[in-house]
Amino acid sequence: MKRIHFVKLLFVALLVSGSLNAWGAEVTFTPSDYAGSGGASVSGGSATATKDGVTIASTKAYVDGTTAIREYSGGKLTISSSNTISKIVITATSSKYAKWTTKTGSISTDNAVQTWTGASSLIELNADSQCRWNKIVVTYESGSTETAVYLHP
């Protein structure tokens, strides 16, 4: 009898833990998302890209082709969504250009990769010196929730 209750409890625990991460989503931005399919260029101005309801916008960007985005010193990279963003991973072209700072959440740096963690629908990253990136991955909540209720007969 105890074994049956243990198996039921284990099954419920697996269902609940499996559903905890099922409602997150991820979107990846590359320089070609800014430059467009024609490889358009922006020099020292604003650039914006939107995918799956997530928008990234630069204030002092240099986009030329599709290999990397430069954000000049004093520029700002804003990442926004109608959903809560929990993680942003920015891959810089080298550790020399992984220099983003923020007042929201926290940023950790590992060589050329900076990871922002927190919980916000609007994140502003500041370029205190020139920053260059070639990939940004944004993890956000998809807005769906699930509640598991177990009623013992």
Side-chain angles (χ1 to χ4, degrees), residues 95 98-100 107-115:
S95 59
K99 303 292 183 185
W100 296 103
I107 292 182
S108 62
T109 304
D110 183 14
N111 290 320
V113 177
Q114 286 192 283
T115 303

Side-chain angles (χ1 to χ4, degrees), residues 9-131:
L9 184 59
L10 182 61
F11 179 70
V12 169
L14 286 172
L15 285 176
V16 171
S17 66
S19 67
L20 292 177
N21 294 324
W23 303 108
E26 195 174 87
V27 62
T28 300
F29 291 92
T30 63
S32 61
D33 296 318
Y34 268 5
S37 59
S41 63
V42 174
S43 181
S46 61
T48 304
T50 301
K51 279 185 173 179
D52 299 333
V54 177
T55 300
I56 60 173
S58 294
T59 59
K60 290 187 174 182
Y62 175 77
V63 182
D64 188 8
T66 59
T67 57
I69 304 293
R70 293 182 204 170
E71 186 72 32
Y72 293 112
S73 182
K76 188 178 295 186
L77 178 66
T78 303
I79 302 171
S80 61
S81 173
S82 58
N83 297 308
T84 301
I85 298 169
S86 58
K87 184 177 171 182
I88 302 167
V89 178
I90 303 171
T91 304
T93 56
S94 76
S95 59
K96 174 180 170 181
Y97 297 114
K99 303 292 183 185
W100 296 103
T101 62
T102 187
K103 294 180 182 176
T104 306
S106 62
I107 292 182
S108 62
T109 304
D110 183 14
N111 290 320
V113 177
Q114 286 192 283
T115 303
W116 176 91
T117 53
S120 182
S121 59
L122 177 69
I123 297 92
E124 291 182 345
L125 302 172
N126 301 305
D128 293 337
S129 62
Q130 188 180 125
C131 296

